[in-house]
Amino acid sequence: MEKELVKISGLSKSFKGFKALDNVSFKVFKNDVFGFLGPNGAGKSTSLRCMLSLIKPDSGSIEIFGKPLNKNRSEILKNIGSIIEKPDFYTYLSAKKNLELIARVSGKNVSRSEIVDILDFVGLKGRESSKFKTFSHGMKQRLGIAQALMHNPELIILDEPTTGLDPQGIIDIRNLILKLSQQQGKTVILSSHQLSEIELIANRMVIINKGKTVIEGKVSELLNNEEMLVKIQVDNPKKCLEIIKASFDQISEAKAMQEEVEMVMNPKLIPEINQLITKNNIRVFAIEQKKKLEDYFIKTIQSQN
Ligand code: ADP
Ligand code: MG
């Protein structure tokens, strides 16, 4: 059985009457790369800050490692590594010196050789002695992750770690997260406002929007390739829909819009459907397929702008 590592139930938090979190619930299991997805302002950072006990929720419960956070705060936090805000480092000190200082100040018992190993793990080998100010944005982020890993935590929380990175920087962070999960058996919670980011590395995910949980589940099920939203742009959507419905019963959520027919189906059927409607003198201008969740997510974000 999968071991439950985090259980968030009915979390709510208001700032001066504004509901930033409204009954948010989700679960994270051991060894998950858990995607925490939502558009800007959805409440991701607020949720993560509650989990790290940086702010107090108005209501709801947070259990981590099987224990309530409010009763076992320091014991739980010892076993979590995170980057929530931009990690703070001394610009004139080297990567190694920065980590040594953090280890000393926070009372974390980490040896110099362990620090070198961690820097190697995050891909900063050879740059240990370079000053922080000479680092690229991607290297700074990786040093942030190194700092989060220093006390060998079981759970790692990364709040939008790839924001502002160039494509190579994004790939580096992605590979690092996969390594943490696959080689070290860590559990990672990764927030992002981009579905593509989550889709690539997470095994489970939750979407939040306007402080509310929208959907939660396995990425492979939420984003499966057999149930796609297919849109066919035609000259007569109503007639086209009738023809399709009369011959195919494997489609669902079918609707005729002003210029197109929209339905959920296995995309393998597209050629047959195309043939059928063309034979029935329907003129086809375009056929487009999208993952249901992708379509939903785009609409969610668009409705915000
Ligand atoms: P996300 O991380 O998903 O972009 P946040 O959790 O940062 O979203 O913010 C959710 C909402 O709560 C936003 O509308 C934001 O402006 C608001 N908010 C967050 N923190 C505060 C705060 N300390 N005071 C007032 N409003 C806040
Ligand atoms: Mg945020």
Side-chain angles (χ1 to χ4, degrees), residues 15 18 20 39-46:
F15 295 106
F18 172 76
N40 287 326
K44 302 181 295 296
S45 298
T46 305

Side-chain angles (χ1 to χ4, degrees), residues 155-294:
L155 173 64
I156 295 146
I157 297 178
L158 304 174
D159 192 12
E160 306 224 28
T162 58
T163 298
L165 293 182
D166 59 21
Q168 185 57 47
I170 293 174
I171 293 169
D172 291 342
I173 298 284
R174 194 182 294 148
N175 289 337
L176 189 52
I177 293 170
L178 288 174
K179 242 175 30 167
L180 280 170
S181 162
Q182 290 164 3
Q183 293 179 11
Q184 302 207 342
K186 304 281 189 200
T187 304
V188 182
I189 299 177
L190 163 75
S191 80
S192 176
H193 61 275
Q194 276 177 308
L195 178 61
S196 57
E197 188 68 31
I198 298 293
E199 186 179 359
L200 280 170
I201 50 173
N203 61 308
R204 296 185 68 256
M205 69 188 282
V206 65
I207 296 184
I208 67 164
N209 186 35
K210 296 180 182 164
K212 287 190 163 75
T213 313
V214 176
I215 197 165
E216 182 187 2
K218 286 191 175 154
V219 173
S220 58
E221 285 169 15
L222 293 175
L223 286 167
N224 81 59
N225 288 323
E226 275 148 35
E227 234 184 70
M228 305 283 276
L229 183 79
V230 175
K231 293 180 185 182
I232 309 178
Q233 206 186 326
V234 289
D235 59 352
N236 190 342
K238 250 181 146 175
K239 187 177 160 205
C240 177
L241 184 65
E242 278 165 26
I243 295 167
I244 295 172
K245 274 188 159 171
S247 303
F248 292 89
D249 52 9
Q250 312 96 310
I251 62 167
S252 60
E253 297 172 44
K255 324 186 250 258
M257 325 282 267
Q258 203 158 11
E259 291 180 349
E260 61 193 13
V261 174
E262 196 185 284
M263 60 214 147
V264 173
M265 60 181 239
N266 190 325
K268 282 188 189 143
L269 294 175
I270 290 176
E272 268 178 79
I273 288 186
N274 186 32
Q275 227 169 22
L276 172 79
I277 56 180
T278 319
K279 237 195 263 164
N280 281 277
N281 298 322
I282 300 279
R283 279 152 53 85
V284 178
F285 299 108
I287 300 181
E288 182 193 0
Q289 51 167 309
K290 261 200 203 115
K291 288 177 180 141
K292 255 174 86 178
L293 196 61
E294 185 183 2

